[in-house]
Amino acid sequence: MTTLGTRPLDSFADNDQKPVGYGRMLRKEDPRFVRGLGHYCDDIQLPGMLHMAILRSPFAHARIVSIDTSRALAHPKVKAVVTGADLAEKGLAWMPTLSNDVQAVLATDKVRFQGQEVAIVVAEDRYSARDGLELIDVQYDPLPPVVDVRHALDPDAPVIRDDLEGKADNHCFDWETGDAAATQAVFDRAEVVVSQDIVYPRVHPAPMETCGCVADYDRVSGKLTLWTTSQAPHAHRTLYALVAGLPEHKIRVVSPDIGGGFGNKVPIYPGYVCAIVASLVLHKPVKWMEDRSENLISTGFARDYLMRGEIAATRDGKILAVRTNVLADHGAFNGTAAPVKYPAGFFGVFTGSYDLEAAYCHMTAVYTNKAPGGVAYACSFRITEAVYLVERMVDVLARELDMDPAELRLRNLIRPEQFPYTTKTGWVYDSGEYERALRLSMETAGYEDLRKEQAERRARGELMGIGLSFFTEAVGAGPRKDMDILGLGMADGCELTVHPTGKAVVRLSVQTQGQGHETTFAQIVAEELGIPPADIEVVHGDTDQTPFGLGTYGSRSTPVSGAAAAMVARKVRDKARIIASGMLEVSVADLEWEKGAFQVKGDPTRSVTIQDVAMRAYGAGDLPEGVEGGLQAEVCYNPENLTYPFGAYICVVDVDPGTGAVKVRKFVAIDDCGTRINEMIIEGQVHGGLTDGVGMALMEMIAFDEDGNCLSASLMDYLIPTALEVPDWQTGHTVTPSPHHPIGAKGIGESATVGSPPAVVNAIVDALAPFGIRHADMPLTPSRVWDAMQGHPLPPV
Amino acid sequence: MQVPAPFEYRRATSVEDAIGLLGELGSSARVVAGGHSLLPMMKLRLATPDRLVDINDLHGELGYVRVEPGEVRIGALTRHRELLESDELAAVHPVFRDAERVIADPVVRNRGTIGGSLCQADPAEDLSAVCTAVDATCVIRSAGGTREVPMADFYRGPFETAVGDGELLIEVRVPRRPRGSSAYEKVERRAGDWAVAASAAALWLDDDGRIADVRVGLSAVGPNTTAIEGIADALRGREPSEEAYAQAGAIAAERCNPVADLRGSVEYKRHLADELTRRALRRAVARCRGEG
Ligand SMILES: Cc1cc2nc3c(=O)[nH]c(=O)nc-3n(C[C@H](O)[C@H](O)[C@H](O)COP(=O)(O)OP(=O)(O)OC[C@H]3O[C@@H](n4cnc5c(N)ncnc54)[C@H](O)[C@@H]3O)c2cc1C
């Protein structure tokens, strides 16, 4: 991690740096966070509030024979116990998932994964609620579980989803993209074909704050207020209305400060529904906050793809085609959060950043006795898996061709003049200068010198590795003609009001989980209107106070809501211009906009500031013909296309030959996210994502034993990296604006998470080259590296 | 937040008081020292003691490192951090500082104690191997008096020690012998993680620079590896050499009994028992010679 001492001072913002618009600036929200004054769900205390705890299944697969709640109900502080049977009476035992599957709210017939919700206890305090769980007696009849995804479709595999009409196997869906025949033709004539099995293990977003809510049904007004850890408050409100039959105008969903989301807080979890039911029944506010183990074992996981990659090329290193066959583990219920037409998210970008002749993917998704989910964990809808696949395959090919992996990439990157570039799977990449970014990363890292050093070290028996990855992201979902979540289009609203004194309030539909929206969005409006960011209040997270939109995930906030914020500010500016023309008594065409003021062309002495105009908009006196008083506007931005950030990463590792322990020594990250709004926030996003990537590459995995017991139920077992595992990040950038985005911004939230795992793994595999190894699966713990050095790298399943 | 089951809580005001409370409450009571092993187990409801006797107010009586001419005395409530920071201790038994650098993280080290670590007797815990290697003795007190138990008898297997109901571990005594040094080597998956495997070695040279005695203890590679027998017999009287370390490593690998888990395969852990024992011996010898 970078220390203050080693960083050039100008890379920091200080309190005197107050850009009116884009630029380095301290985050507006940080004073409250660094003082511990953030207000999270668990900080909410309401009079008479009760506490809820959830009884969870100890088995991965079992029939529920009976549930006896009488002892729990006899506990003096227990107010209610609810089982699946109770919910079934209200028609609420099952709920839809984000992928049009159904998921049990509380199990009625069977439990289908360890940790599944079986019953709830509501009590006067959190301790009593938890004590009440111990007093519920459940009789289970254990069934054989499906744990190894490779056997989920065996003819004799136990059927998990017998709740679904006529379901006789564990098949979830099949999906394909690209052209199978054209790809086969290219493979048939290719000089070189290599294939490799690659696993992206199940990992967990593990946000610092676990999931939870406070449900408060007011029986006087008939209104339900739900404070909840949600990345998408509006989508949640509509879904509660559709699922529970509550009138939508009588539901208020509020996301207060959120302690990290990473996709974990996109789905609606059974606990939220149960807390709502409890509040409706008991007429009291009910709080539910899951504990760490519950978060790890039951909420949305990510990844879990078994991929067979194939790559076809000419002998001299022209990549011709990529093909892949994927087996996707979706757990017990298909809870993937992805646009409806994209059951595999945006995995279709597995063609990477290369100019190919053909590509094809076939995917089979199956049910297993594991937690549901498959959320975007900082992955832009499965792009993490796609980029990992192609970037590993390119390295596998480089080894086969005995070619430098940087050289191989340079030879195949899409060229600037080819943009907009339509990939063989139909994605239209908006803009890119790929070679420039890759060369910059190589210069920054001192690539040639590193290779020399590596040769010297190898001669001494040391294991040093250099790994590259080049990635293209696809973010900002998405155009409503193609993309919706459960029928809700992915356009974002935004409202802006400039008050008489020139202070402004911008209302967003997206919700921050730590990304700095209160700063970034104020800067976007500031850039358009010339009002200082400090004078712009950003309101978000409360459905009663903000316009409709689908929330924050898949790096969509700046690409979609950021565009909306710029557009709404321009709309306000257009109105201000008319008012200014009246004030200056010239025609609109005679006015020039200088950030923050309109001035008469050719006469800079005659001008009015945006603040003057605001006062006039509300003040006395006539406004120009047809102009209403006030200075506000609203828009709903429907993106024309996704945006495509990209980057080039280089990682250097040292592996201890005696123990297999990996040290990430150096990491260079060159990112291109188009227009840069606040450099500090961008760098923060990159640092976090890189750390995340190192975690996945080296240590993270949700593991199960053969009975389906989750072995990663605490942070002692599910490891996430600390400052000691990461090097001093070297970040840099190029700027290639998005041509269709109003401000050219592309989004940065997930670039580093997407781009870094392959760089780290490629570096480790490179270090192990003397052992003749071409691939080793994550997580590359010392043991797994050592196993690879012994010639038997094992897949993590 | 994970919440424990109901329990009663008493706070001892002196060692005498603690022993009195423990005697009075019998097997229903547990001592809480740093709480970094006991409280997580209570929160996960793996441990549900009816009563806790908190000894943290006894730091004045039980928190110390005293380096005396013939031995080092360490109070049972000495925190990991105090062991880590003691220059005096590092000068005579560097294995403690080696180990403490890689035990948990600063938050845990600020509270966790040597007494709690040894009494917890987790087979992956670091200090049991360290104390066994340096031939420590544990001082246990009860209402009936004080007894001294060498580490070999103190550690009775995973989560089992010589400390009985109504007893308190109060001190750890480590003898000082001339021309000796020690070292600790550990592999972990991440800073602050428990060991995948670790090796503690203490070694003494004779006047001619040959190995007079050597003791090795391993962590995380089986239920009873705090003392690896046979290494002293194989190495005594020999010149320190790579061959000697290799032989010690081979014995360590053979005598351990690891199980496969997410930390590593059996084969790997055996390999580490070997590799880390070699490294620890190499470093201990260098230190004996004033090179480390
Ligand atoms: C995140 C984390 C990481 C960790 N990593 C490591 C690691 O890498 N290596 C390692 O070795 N340890 C590790 N630990 C354990 C840590 O070192 C503990 O603090 C230690 O094992 C127990 O010490 P304590 O004082 O906290 O004991 P407590 O938790 O208070 O007590 C543990 C047990 O000992 C008993 N006990 C305590 N003191 C006495 C006494 N004086 N007499 C009789 N009985 C007593 C208690 O009744 C209890 O049964 C880790 C712990 C955590 C939370």
Side-chain angles (χ1 to χ4, degrees):
Chain A
M1 196 64 69
T2 308
T3 57
L4 293 182
T6 60
R7 269 189 89 170
L9 271 179
D10 64 3
S11 75
F12 287 95
D14 61 40
N15 283 319
D16 299 331
Q17 252 171 307
K18 293 197 172 82
V20 181
Y22 306 155
R24 240 171 235 288
M25 176 183 142
L26 291 182
R27 304 201 319 171
K28 292 175 65 179
E29 45 269 80
D30 282 347
R32 87 171 175 274
F33 289 136
V34 299
R35 292 182 181 124
L37 297 175
H39 199 64
Y40 299 88
C41 248
D42 207 15
D43 293 321
I44 291 167
Q45 301 291 348
L46 299 178
M49 187 173 78
L50 301 174
H51 295 262
M52 183 183 106
I54 300 180
L55 183 71
R56 296 177 180 277
S57 165
F59 296 104
H61 200 191
R63 200 158 290 289
I64 296 176
V65 180
S66 65
I67 304 182
D68 181 353
T69 61
S70 54
R71 287 199 307 137
L73 281 166
H75 187 292
K77 291 188 171 172
V78 167
K79 296 292 169 194
V81 181
V82 179
T83 64
D86 300 327
L87 288 185
E89 281 173 24
K90 298 180 176 358
L92 288 173
W94 294 82
M95 63 177 189
T97 68
L98 292 177
S99 289
N100 277 315
D101 191 357
V102 290
Q103 170 175 4
V105 177
L106 293 176
T108 48
D109 51 341
K110 293 202 300 191
V111 287
R112 293 175 170 84
F113 67 94
Q114 187 189 52
Q116 187 180 339
E117 299 79 1
V118 174
I120 60 159
V121 172
V122 184
E124 285 173 22
D125 58 75
R126 189 175 289 197
Y127 287 77
S128 302
R130 178 69 181 78
D131 293 344
L133 300 183
E134 314 266 324
L135 300 172
I136 301 176
D137 297 309
V138 186
Q139 296 278 314
Y140 293 99
D141 185 5
L143 299 167
V146 179
V147 182
D148 186 339
V149 63
R150 294 167 297 189
H151 294 297
L153 294 179
D154 287 356
D156 57 349
V159 178
I160 299 166
R161 296 302 303 279
D162 46 359
D163 59 295
L164 299 174
E165 191 75 26
K167 191 86 189 139
D169 59 23
N170 295 314
H171 183 254
C172 182
F173 66 81
D174 262 58
W175 173 81
E176 62 173 0
T177 185
D179 187 329
T183 307
Q184 184 61 48
V186 175
F187 270 85
D188 285 344
R189 68 176 161 75
E191 292 165 359
V192 182
V193 169
V194 233
S195 72
Q196 178 65 50
D197 285 330
I198 294 175
V199 179
Y200 209 129
R202 177 175 284 232
V203 296
H204 197 279
M208 188 107 81
E209 179 202 33
T210 57
C211 298
C213 66
V214 178
D216 182 19
Y217 176 69
D218 179 345
R219 74 179 145 148
V220 177
S221 63
K223 186 154 182 172
L224 170 74
T225 303
L226 184 73
W227 286 269
T228 179
T229 51
S230 170
Q231 295 178 224
H234 285 280
H236 279 197
R237 183 187 57 185
T238 305
L239 293 177
Y240 289 126
L242 294 172
V243 175
L246 297 165
E248 195 168 0
H249 63 300
K250 293 286 190 186
I251 308 174
R252 175 180 172 208
V253 175
V254 186
S255 286
D257 283 331
I258 303 281
F262 316 108
N264 189 240
K265 290 167 180 165
V266 172
I268 289 179
Y269 293 117
Y272 303 154
V273 178
C274 290
I276 293 172
V277 170
S279 182
L280 286 170
V281 171
L282 296 167
H283 294 158
K284 294 266 184 166
V286 175
K287 179 188 277 187
W288 167 65
M289 283 305 299
E290 64 187 9
D291 67 29
R292 179 62 58 194
S293 297
E294 293 182 285
N295 181 253
L296 285 167
I297 65 175
S298 73
T299 63
F301 71 94
R303 329 282 191 253
D304 219 343
Y305 272 15
L306 267 64
M307 306 178 277
R308 149 70 50 107
E310 292 173 281
I311 191 162
T314 63
R315 237 319 108 224
D316 62 358
K318 172 81 190 91
I319 304 173
L320 303 173
V322 177
R323 181 162 63 187
T324 178
N325 202 340
V326 181
L327 182 59
D329 186 340
H330 278 240
F333 309 101
N334 184 12
T336 301
V340 169
K341 285 187 208 160
Y342 301 82
F346 300 168
F347 188 77
V349 302
F350 70 90
T351 53
S353 315
Y354 309 106
D355 184 20
L356 305 181
E357 289 179 15
Y360 177 69
C361 166
H362 180 260
M363 179 179 296
T364 301
V366 298
Y367 292 116
T368 61
N369 288 111
K370 299 176 193 166
V375 297
Y377 161 20
C379 77
S380 309
F381 300 118
R382 304 283 192 186
I383 290 177
T384 315
E385 291 91 322
V387 165
Y388 183 65
L389 174 82
V390 65
E391 288 307 292
R392 272 285 43 244
M393 288 312 298
V394 169
D395 262 38
V396 167
L397 176 66
R399 184 71 61 82
E400 178 74 21
L401 297 174
D402 199 16
M403 187 181 268
D404 184 287
E407 180 56 35
L408 179 59
R409 284 179 173 82
L410 283 169
R411 233 178 252 198
N412 289 282
L413 289 174
I414 300 165
R415 296 184 309 279
E417 67 275 14
Q418 289 175 289
F419 289 91
Y421 178 88
T422 304
T423 70
K424 291 295 179 259
T425 46
W427 300 78
V428 185
Y429 292 3
D430 57 350
S431 62
E433 279 215 43
Y434 291 175
E435 184 177 335
R436 178 174 63 156
L438 181 50
R439 290 207 184 275
L440 178 59
S441 73
M442 293 167 70
E443 266 163 44
T444 309
Y447 188 73
E448 305 275 297
D449 290 343
L450 285 170
R451 285 286 176 209
K452 274 190 209 123
E453 181 192 339
Q454 180 184 41
E456 287 161 22
R457 286 183 185 270
R458 269 195 188 151
R460 296 201 296 267
E462 293 171 30
L463 303 177
M464 168 184 169
I466 304 160
L468 287 88
S469 89
F470 195 100
F471 65 92
T472 300
E473 265 262 71
V475 305
R480 54 194 299 168
K481 65 178 172 4
D482 298 325
M483 291 176 193
D484 66 273
I485 303 256
L486 284 185
L488 300 172
M490 301 187 81
D492 279 359
C494 190
E495 296 169 6
L496 176 64
T497 300
V498 183
H499 292 316
T501 56
K503 315 287 183 193
V505 178
V506 61
R507 297 168 190 279
L508 313 176
S509 65
V510 287
Q511 159 62 13
T512 184
Q513 304 102 45
Q515 301 93 329
H517 286 184
E518 287 162 45
T519 309
T520 295
F521 284 86
Q523 289 186 269
I524 291 173
V525 172
E527 179 75 21
E528 300 296 334
L529 285 186
I531 296 175
D535 290 351
I536 300 167
E537 176 81 354
V538 175
V539 176
H540 54 168
D542 181 343
T543 56
D544 271 10
Q545 300 234 32
T546 56
F548 189 87
L550 274 214
T552 294
Y553 40 84
S555 300
R556 66 187 295 283
S557 290
T558 301
V560 186
S561 272
M567 302 291 273
V568 82
R570 287 175 194 174
K571 212 163 160 180
V572 163
R573 196 171 69 203
D574 288 345
K575 178 172 178 180
R577 181 189 296 269
I578 301 172
I579 298 173
S581 75
M583 293 167 79
L584 293 166
E585 297 178 326
V586 293
S587 78
V588 166
D590 289 335
L591 287 177
E592 248 171 4
W593 171 249
E594 277 291 325
K595 201 193 270 185
F598 293 99
Q599 67 185 42
V600 176
K601 277 185 189 159
D603 185 0
T605 60
R606 295 182 60 209
S607 75
V608 288
T609 64
I610 187 78
Q611 289 81 2
D612 299 334
V613 174
M615 187 56 88
R616 179 62 173 237
Y618 294 92
D622 278 340
L623 292 171
E625 186 74 26
V627 175
E628 282 178 13
L631 193 55
Q632 62 216 53
E634 60 179 86
V635 299
C636 182
Y637 176 76
N638 175 30
E640 181 183 317
N641 184 8
L642 301 178
T643 55
Y644 294 82
F646 57 91
Y649 290 177
I650 296 180
C651 175
V652 183
V653 300
D654 296 302
V655 178
D656 182 329
T659 65
V662 175
K663 176 95 196 136
V664 179
R665 184 210 305 180
K666 183 186 185 81
F667 202 109
V668 171
I670 304 299
D671 274 284
D672 192 322
C673 61
T675 303
R676 295 166 76 82
I677 296 156
N678 183 329
E679 302 265 348
M680 279 185 84
I681 288 181
I682 293 171
E683 286 160 9
Q685 293 285 294
V686 171
H687 288 182
L690 295 175
T691 306
D692 207 0
V694 168
M696 286 183 281
L698 299 187
M699 62 192 80
E700 292 186 36
M701 176 165 75
I702 295 283
F704 296 86
D705 69 12
E706 61 217 27
D707 296 323
N709 296 310
C710 180
L711 303 177
S712 312
S714 80
L715 292 180
M716 299 278 281
D717 305 296
Y718 187 78
L719 297 183
I720 46 181
T722 74
L724 294 179
E725 277 75 41
V726 301
D728 194 358
W729 307 117
Q730 287 175 266
T731 57
H733 62 272
T734 57
V735 177
T736 315
S738 167
H740 65 270
H741 189 275
I743 59 175
K746 288 186 168 188
I748 189 67
E750 296 154 310
S751 286
T753 314
V754 164
S756 55
V760 180
V761 174
N762 284 346
I764 296 169
V765 173
D766 184 49
L768 300 184
F771 296 87
I773 288 155
R774 192 169 88 171
H775 177 70
D777 283 318
M778 302 183 282
L780 286 165
T781 58
S783 178
R784 295 178 50 77
V785 170
W786 189 79
D787 288 341
M789 285 159 61
Q790 309 313 304
H792 42 80
L794 298 170
V797 283
Chain B
M1 185 174 69
Q2 276 152 329
V3 294
F7 60 90
E8 266 179 44
Y9 176 82
R10 307 285 279 273
R11 222 175 153 88
T13 53
S14 66
V15 171
E16 288 314 315
D17 182 38
I19 287 167
L21 286 171
L22 290 171
E24 186 188 313
L25 304 172
S27 62
S28 69
R30 291 280 283 273
V31 173
V32 61
H36 271 299
S37 291
L38 186 55
L39 298 188
M41 288 196 306
M42 288 172 63
K43 287 175 157 210
L44 293 167
R45 301 199 177 205
L46 297 171
T48 50
D50 295 324
R51 299 181 174 87
L52 289 189
V53 176
D54 187 336
I55 60 169
N56 280 282
D57 287 346
L58 314 187
H59 190 257
E61 274 182 88
L62 294 181
Y64 54 84
V65 177
R66 294 191 189 123
V67 178
E68 297 174 357
E71 64 182 358
V72 180
R73 293 166 53 202
I74 303 172
L77 206 61
T78 307
R79 313 277 179 198
H80 287 303
R81 175 179 173 178
E82 293 168 318
L83 293 173
L84 174 65
E85 290 179 352
S86 169
D87 292 334
E88 273 190 307
L89 179 62
V92 293
H93 290 302
V95 66
F96 279 96
R97 181 169 284 175
D98 287 354
E100 288 294 353
R101 278 183 206 276
V102 289
I103 290 177
D105 50 49
V107 177
V108 173
R109 291 199 294 258
N110 282 341
R111 293 292 293 176
T113 64
I114 183 168
S117 298
L118 298 184
C119 291
Q120 181 68 21
D122 189 312
E125 185 273 318
D126 293 288
L127 290 182
S128 296
V130 168
C131 289
T132 309
V134 294
D135 205 7
T137 297
C138 294
V139 182
I140 300 170
R141 190 185 296 175
S142 68
T146 298
R147 60 198 181 103
E148 292 185 22
V149 182
M151 271 311 291
D153 300 326
F154 181 87
Y155 181 89
R156 299 212 169 142
F159 310 105
E160 258 183 72
T161 69
V163 181
D165 288 346
E167 290 191 314
L168 192 67
L169 171 64
I170 56 167
E171 189 177 83
V172 179
R173 291 188 186 156
V174 189
R176 291 183 63 184
R177 288 157 58 186
R179 289 180 303 279
S181 195
S182 54
Y184 197 66
E185 293 281 347
K186 170 174 172 175
V187 167
E188 51 191 1
R189 293 173 300 173
R190 186 204 68 189
D193 188 25
W194 294 79
V196 178
S199 177
L203 176 138
W204 297 267
L205 300 179
D206 62 19
D207 289 341
D208 304 327
R210 278 194 289 267
I211 297 170
D213 198 6
V214 53
R215 299 173 60 90
V216 171
L218 303 177
S219 178
V221 284
N224 287 300
T225 61
T226 50
I228 298 296
E229 305 298 332
I231 293 180
D233 289 344
L235 267 57
R236 211 172 277 130
R238 289 171 59 178
E239 288 285 338
S241 65
E242 283 302 319
E243 291 71 45
Y245 309 151
Q247 196 181 345
I251 294 171
E254 190 203 312
R255 301 274 158 94
C256 69
N257 196 10
V259 292
D261 57 18
L262 291 179
R263 289 194 168 75
S265 57
V266 168
E267 216 187 338
Y268 176 64
K269 290 182 184 181
R270 267 191 207 288
H271 164 76
L272 283 187
D274 176 353
E275 175 72 25
L276 298 182
T277 296
R278 296 187 205 209
R279 289 185 185 192
L281 286 171
R282 204 178 286 138
R283 221 156 107 206
V285 168
R287 283 172 170 164
C288 280
R289 293 172 172 161
E291 296 160 2

